Amino acid sequence: GECPVTCDDKKDSTSWEYFVLSNTETNYLKKENMKCFAARAKLPAKCPGLLCCHCHGKFKGGSYYFTSPKSLRNVFWAMHTHLLSCSDCPKHIKAALERKKLHNQEER
């Protein structure tokens, strides 16, 4: 997949939001992966989503699919939580993520 944000997106988001999304890549649910998600939700094939760009969705919470407007709101927290626990995510990324989160409200 591709990174879902570009440099132009920086002006429309907080540093934390931009950083979270810059550590993901776009993805579409494939038929072979549907069994993993079928119990959680009735997701159609090719449902859009994001993967952690470090583990590529291998670890719990490393893939996120958009199933409703609410899921769009939750993507930042879901991926933030995953990145902090992802064993493939470098420590300096985790530290930067925590620093940026501290200043998120100030930037709004």
Side-chain angles (χ1 to χ4, degrees), residues 37-81:
F37 297 97
R40 205 168 59 183
K42 301 272 189 232
L43 300 179
K46 298 184 182 178
C47 180
L50 297 173
L51 293 179
C52 168
C53 68
H54 305 286
C55 74
H56 306 285
K58 288 187 301 190
F59 299 113
K60 184 176 181 178
S63 56
Y64 193 86
Y65 294 95
F66 303 109
T67 58
S68 69
K70 184 179 178 181
S71 70
L72 290 172
R73 281 195 319 264
N74 295 338
V75 68
F76 296 105
W77 279 110
M79 293 310 296
H80 171 91
T81 301

Side-chain angles (χ1 to χ4, degrees), residues 1-5 17-27 49-54 56 61-64 66 75-76 78-80 82-83 93:
E2 297 178 16
C3 184
V5 291
E17 291 166 342
Y18 184 84
F19 195 70
V20 167
L21 292 182
S22 68
N23 280 278
T24 65
E25 57 189 35
T26 57
N27 185 51
L50 297 173
L51 293 179
C52 168
C53 68
H54 305 286
H56 306 285
S63 56
Y64 193 86
F66 303 109
V75 68
F76 296 105
M79 293 310 296
H80 171 91
H82 167 76
L83 288 164
I93 298 289

